[in-house]
Amino acid sequence: MLEVRRLRLLAELAARGTLAEVAEALHQSPSSVSQQLGQLEREVGVPLLTKAGRRVQLTAAAEVLVEHTTEILARLEAAEAAVTALGDETAGTVRVAVFQSVALAYMPQALADLTRRHPRLRVMLSQRAPEQALHDLALRELDLVVAEHYPDHGAPHFDGLDRRPLTTDRLRLALPPRGSGAIWDDITSLAEAGCVPWAMEPPGTASRHWIEEQCRRAGFEPEVRYETDDVEAHVALVESGNAVALLSDLMRVRHRTAVRLIELPGSPRRTVFTATRTAIADSPGIIACRAALARVVPADLVLPT
């Protein structure tokens, strides 16, 4: 019988790419990981790894093992979730990751709701970029993620994830308030925002890719003078007359912003969704967290301009 822990190491190597990354993620030394994979190789009787410079590559036999291991790990998670569901009270730990605007707008209320209803449930919350959070969820580093999907811009796909819509919110162009200067006051559409500085999230993020596409469709390449993943910093830069930026309604839930808002072509809305691994989607902790979010987050967020 093959050892599940060694099989998991092989699956982790397939997902992460290097022995060092596997060791770091599982809090082991690289030599320990290498020794255990060597033992697994002896158990199956065929080569599983080949050298590729300073890295290792999986053989065809290893790929077959990884495919089966993925199914085995999912079944084990599902079995654990089924047993947990037999308890009288929702308990345990759920590792949740959200992006900034959700963390600010609704997570305090959702966490308070969970504490009242399920005092034995321990929620560990972290803020992560949606792309990274989904990746970490697939690697079993998280249990539940709140992520985003921009119009005509698909979120990263990972096998074995259960995704459910949570809400939608409007995306608008945010400009400094009236009286900040003619360069700002004269802008009445996205197409006229090509001559002013922009604040955007770093390259590689969904919001950056999406708004850059909108600018190019409007006929210009935006001058990204301020780059930060802190969307509250974007708001501050706009309010102070330093830049324009993409602003979602979620960022205006906690307090009204002192910015001027302009509708974008087509009045686009972003979709916000929750994701978990399919194997644990029916576990009491995941069900409780999703229910709490559904209670505090409106299905379609509508805020006045």
Side-chain angles (χ1 to χ4, degrees):
M1 184 69 67
L2 298 178
E3 172 61 56
V4 173
R5 285 175 296 182
R6 295 188 188 113
L7 289 171
R8 184 191 174 191
L9 289 176
L10 187 65
E12 291 283 346
L13 180 59
R16 299 180 187 275
T18 69
L19 293 172
E21 290 185 37
V22 173
E24 181 179 1
L26 301 182
H27 307 291
Q28 300 183 29
S29 67
S31 61
S32 173
V33 172
S34 180
Q35 289 170 9
Q36 293 180 73
L37 289 174
Q39 179 62 33
L40 178 62
E41 196 169 56
R42 288 189 291 273
E43 289 173 353
V44 297
V46 296
L48 298 177
L49 304 175
T50 59
K51 286 284 187 179
R54 300 182 65 180
R55 301 168 68 95
V56 293
Q57 289 184 339
L58 274 64
T59 64
E63 297 285 358
V64 170
L65 269 183
V66 167
E67 182 178 349
H68 286 283
T69 298
T70 301
E71 296 176 6
I72 291 168
L73 294 175
R75 293 293 295 172
L76 287 173
E77 276 199 312
E80 184 178 359
V83 171
T84 302
L86 298 176
D88 296 330
E89 189 176 358
T90 300
T93 298
V94 179
R95 300 163 298 173
V96 180
V98 302
F99 57 96
Q100 185 183 26
S101 52
V102 172
L104 293 171
Y106 292 115
M107 286 312 298
Q109 304 95 302
L111 291 171
D113 179 88
L114 284 166
T115 299
R116 287 192 302 269
R117 294 172 184 267
H118 308 288
R120 292 187 59 204
L121 182 65
R122 180 170 177 255
V123 177
M124 298 178 64
L125 180 67
S126 62
Q127 180 182 311
R128 303 190 194 188
E131 299 85 357
Q132 183 62 48
L134 290 169
H135 177 263
D136 295 343
L137 175 65
L139 290 177
R140 297 180 174 80
E141 293 183 3
L142 297 168
D143 302 310
L144 183 67
V145 164
V146 180
E148 61 186 356
H149 174 201
Y150 284 81
D152 303 317
H153 186 279
H157 174 78
F158 297 94
D159 291 335
L161 298 189
D162 176 86
R163 305 186 185 206
R164 300 181 188 179
L166 178 62
T167 188
T168 68
D169 68 338
R170 182 67 59 82
L171 301 167
R172 296 182 174 93
L173 176 65
L175 296 102
R178 288 284 185 190
S180 298
I183 188 175
W184 311 107
D185 293 349
D186 290 346
I187 298 175
T188 60
S189 68
L190 175 62
E192 296 171 349
C195 59
V196 294
W198 280 74
M200 290 190 186
E201 293 189 53
T205 58
S207 65
R208 173 69 172 262
H209 184 262
W210 186 82
I211 190 58
E212 283 184 332
E213 282 190 343
Q214 306 314 303
C215 292
R216 289 162 187 154
R217 290 177 183 176
F220 67 92
E221 188 69 28
E223 180 199 346
V224 184
R225 190 175 298 181
Y226 310 105
E227 187 175 284
T228 172
D229 57 6
D230 184 347
V231 185
E232 283 196 307
H234 293 188
V235 175
L237 286 164
V238 175
E239 288 177 331
S240 57
N242 286 291
V244 300
L246 173 69
L247 187 65
S248 70
D249 276 353
L250 274 174
M251 283 302 297
R252 300 193 299 127
V253 168
R254 285 183 68 232
H255 57 80
R256 293 192 63 83
T257 54
V259 301
R260 182 164 62 96
L261 296 173
I262 291 180
E263 295 289 338
L264 294 173
S267 300
R269 297 185 71 85
R270 172 182 61 173
T271 298
V272 179
F273 63 92
T274 62
T276 187
R277 290 183 299 283
T278 303
I280 60 172
D282 293 329
S283 65
I286 297 298
I287 292 173
C289 289
R290 278 177 156 169
L293 285 167
R295 281 189 290 270
V296 302
V297 181
D300 289 294
L301 184 60
V302 179
L303 296 179
T305 303

